[in-house]
Amino acid sequence: MRTLGLDQPEPSITHVPSARSRRIWGMLVLVPLLVGCMIVSMGAGAMSMSPAQVVSILFAKVGLPPLATFSDQQAAVIHAVRLPRVLMGALVGAALAIAGAALQGLFRNPLADPGLLGVSGGASLAVAAVTVLKVHFLGLHTQPVAAFGGSLGAILLISSLARGSGRTQVATMLLCGVAINALCLAGTGLFTYLSTDDQLRTLTFWQLGSLSGATWESVSTLAPLVLVCAVGVTLLCNPLNALMLGESNASHLGISVERLKWQLVTLVALGVGGAVAFSGMIGFAGLVVPHLIRICLGPNHRVLLPLSGLLGATLLVLSDLVARTVVIPSELPIGIVTALTGAPFFLYLILRQRRLPVS
């Protein structure tokens, strides 16, 4: 056997950054980016404000000295309208992106997103039903509660259908999700056909997504749901990494695969159901964002999950900024903006995959 002599150089070892260092560097980039986008978004609109004025208004609320002068009207617009809207966008974007990353890990399929489990379809059907049938048992909260109940009911139905012989088949769950989602969308179409002109306008705008109804009350209701979803899914990063090796290998490593599936499905329903309830149908956020993080920093869920939340929040805040400023004084549905940006990127991923050499 050939051995290295004392005068021979040792082979070079390529330094691979650890998951912790990649997560730290990613946060050092994405956290300031998110904060900056939120400040710019709060200052843009019919009443324009500079970033210094926005920061000064926020500083004044906590007793810090201002950086620039501002009027009482500007402060009122920030506190009552724009700040809750920006926070709502960040919460919804984080929930959709983290849920997308978790489902892609669960299905071991990079094309999985929250819509595959019928979450969006169930919420859409419930909202269409209460709107057309004129159900107003909770006043202004009727639509959000109905959307959350519809999404949770759909995902529980899909999970029960996919369970057999004491196990939940992931492939069966995926197929059941497609079928239930199609049925829910068909029901939504039927209610849309039966709706009046005013009801049709409401349903169409909700199905395309919007953050225009954001209030402090809705933000305070959604925040705990997204927090539980984000923290719960992130705590499951190591089992998700083991699941990437296959269910049998994950079981040999001591992972309770069935419990992991139910935990992920429940957390995704909680986060995405709450997000859809308050923002409507917003596509591609849960599909595109995890891909961007995975391409840049790798597939380790210890890095992928938290950074997907930060990037998802940033991209949705920017999408909402475009939606409400590009056609002032009108407003585009945010789902149109995310689709216009997400669909080309999705096509790019497909073409990029075709160009990769087959091993």
Side-chain angles (χ1 to χ4, degrees), residues 264-320:
L264 286 174
V265 165
T266 303
L267 290 170
V268 166
L270 188 67
V272 177
V276 171
F278 288 103
S279 66
M281 310 274 282
I282 299 177
F284 284 100
L287 176 65
V288 170
V289 172
H291 273 297
L292 285 172
I293 300 297
R294 193 179 289 111
I295 289 172
C296 296
L297 297 173
N300 191 329
H301 287 90
R302 295 176 63 187
V303 179
L304 181 63
L305 291 170
L307 297 189
S308 291
L310 289 173
L311 184 58
T314 302
L315 291 183
L316 208 66
V317 168
L318 288 177
S319 297
D320 183 58

Side-chain angles (χ1 to χ4, degrees), residues 50-141:
S50 68
Q53 287 178 310
V54 174
V55 174
S56 298
I57 292 171
L58 299 178
F59 277 3
K61 195 70 175 178
V62 294
L64 296 176
L67 303 177
T69 58
F70 57 89
S71 66
D72 293 339
Q73 186 178 10
Q74 289 175 323
V77 168
I78 291 293
H79 292 307
V81 180
R82 293 186 184 172
L83 182 55
R85 179 164 181 156
V86 166
L87 291 176
M88 176 68 74
L91 290 170
V92 170
L96 295 177
I98 291 174
L103 290 178
Q104 288 172 12
L106 174 63
F107 291 118
R108 299 187 295 282
N109 186 337
L111 301 182
D113 76 332
L116 286 178
L117 286 183
V119 177
S120 301
S124 178
L125 177 60
V127 168
V130 298
T131 301
V132 174
L133 298 177
K134 299 180 180 180
V135 178
H136 303 292
F137 59 96
L138 291 176
L140 296 176
H141 300 286

Side-chain angles (χ1 to χ4, degrees), residues 127-128 130-132 136 143 192 195-210 280:
V127 168
V130 298
T131 301
V132 174
H136 303 292
Q143 280 193 358
T192 302
S195 63
T196 63
D197 290 342
D198 290 339
Q199 293 170 344
L200 178 61
R201 190 176 299 108
T202 300
L203 289 177
T204 301
F205 202 72
W206 189 87
Q207 289 171 1
L208 292 176
S210 175

Side-chain angles (χ1 to χ4, degrees), residues 86-287:
V86 166
L87 291 176
M88 176 68 74
L91 290 170
V92 170
L96 295 177
I98 291 174
L103 290 178
Q104 288 172 12
L106 174 63
F107 291 118
R108 299 187 295 282
N109 186 337
L111 301 182
D113 76 332
L116 286 178
L117 286 183
V119 177
S120 301
S124 178
L125 177 60
V127 168
V130 298
T131 301
V132 174
L133 298 177
K134 299 180 180 180
V135 178
H136 303 292
F137 59 96
L138 291 176
L140 296 176
H141 300 286
T142 301
Q143 280 193 358
V145 171
F148 180 74
S151 61
L152 188 60
I155 202 167
L156 290 176
L157 175 60
I158 292 166
S159 299
S160 62
L161 290 174
R163 188 170 180 83
S165 301
R167 295 183 57 196
T168 302
Q169 301 292 334
V170 173
T172 305
M173 184 186 294
L174 187 62
L175 294 174
C176 290
V178 173
I180 296 299
N181 199 48
L183 287 174
C184 290
L185 293 180
T188 302
L190 177 61
F191 279 115
T192 302
Y193 174 77
L194 298 174
S195 63
T196 63
D197 290 342
D198 290 339
Q199 293 170 344
L200 178 61
R201 190 176 299 108
T202 300
L203 289 177
T204 301
F205 202 72
W206 189 87
Q207 289 171 1
L208 292 176
S210 175
L211 301 177
S212 59
T215 61
W216 283 112
E217 187 176 4
S218 60
V219 169
S220 62
T221 302
L222 178 60
L225 302 178
V226 175
L227 183 63
V228 171
C229 172
V231 173
V233 171
T234 303
L235 290 176
L236 297 174
C237 59
N238 289 332
L240 270 173
N241 284 337
L243 193 61
M244 293 172 64
L245 304 173
E247 292 188 18
S248 60
N249 290 328
S251 298
H252 291 318
L253 292 174
I255 305 298
S256 176
V257 176
E258 285 302 304
R259 186 173 64 183
L260 175 62
K261 292 175 184 177
W262 279 99
Q263 287 173 336
L264 286 174
V265 165
T266 303
L267 290 170
V268 166
L270 188 67
V272 177
V276 171
F278 288 103
S279 66
M281 310 274 282
I282 299 177
F284 284 100
L287 176 65

Side-chain angles (χ1 to χ4, degrees), residues 45-46 323-332:
R324 63 184 179 82
T325 58
V326 72
V327 289
I328 289 178
S330 299
E331 179 180 323
L332 279 177

